[in-house]
Amino acid sequence: MLFDTHVHLNITQFDEDRQEVMQRAKEAGVEYMVVVGFDRQTIPKALELAEAHTNIYAAVGWHPVDAIDMEEKDLEWIEELASHPKVVAIGEMGLDYHWDKSPKEIQKEVLRKQIQLAKRVQLPIVIHNREATEDIIEILKAEGAGEVGGIMHCYNDSAEYVQECLDMNFYISLGGPVTFKNAKDPKEIAKLVPLNRLLIETDCPFLAPHPNRGKRNEPAFVKLVAEKIAELRDISFEEVSEATTNNALKFFQIKE
């Protein structure tokens, strides 16, 4: 049994074959998924999928790339949705210094507001980080994000920051990059993170794992991530799948 903790089945890349993708996930042993909504278009679709399927849940938040577009009414909307029975986290939120659509200071402000919101509604957070690790950790500490905890989604940074994240009550989630031939850091992280604080994801349709790299990613491929982690840790696939599924159920407070 597998739990894909971060999917974007709510975006247009899956409009033509969403049901077939979900069936392939089921056949691959993926029992649970969290669909992540990150703007005005994708949040309603995440909720729609979660409402329609027993073992699909939703996270709602505002992506840092689009931070400049967020208005106060959007923040109020997200806070209202936090009480939905299938919403299990706030996010994805964070900082993205790769793209320059939203100025850094606006991204930081939107991140702070969402952490404060998560603390008000007592839900954990999902962090998106691209080329901004030190600023993210500084903000998480300053805002007391450890009170609700969270996920460092698709962690692709060096090992030196892992302990700081763990100390703040965060889980480390690994995706397709752990299977890439030249991806040194994710492989090191896969061996370093305590098994009881490790999660797996696809971030589909992005970052498809080897041997599907460059193709559209989908939840069924999370099995490849688990298999690679098992190989790197020299443990069984079953041990990885059981541990990461139990971790996710605990983190999202989902009762089987």
Side-chain angles (χ1 to χ4, degrees), residues 163-197:
Q163 192 58 51
E164 287 187 81
C165 296
L166 296 175
D167 289 345
M168 286 189 289
N169 198 24
F170 273 69
Y171 285 67
I172 304 296
S173 184
L174 296 176
V178 76
T179 70
F180 298 169
K181 289 181 179 178
N182 297 322
K184 178 184 173 184
D185 286 337
K187 289 182 171 66
E188 186 179 353
I189 300 304
K191 293 183 281 187
L192 174 68
V193 175
L195 193 56
N196 66 350
R197 300 291 289 280

Side-chain angles (χ1 to χ4, degrees), residues 1-14:
M1 182 166 66
L2 296 160
F3 194 136
D4 189 342
T5 60
H6 197 113
V7 305
H8 294 295
L9 289 177
N10 48 338
I11 65 176
T12 56
Q13 284 92 326
F14 294 106

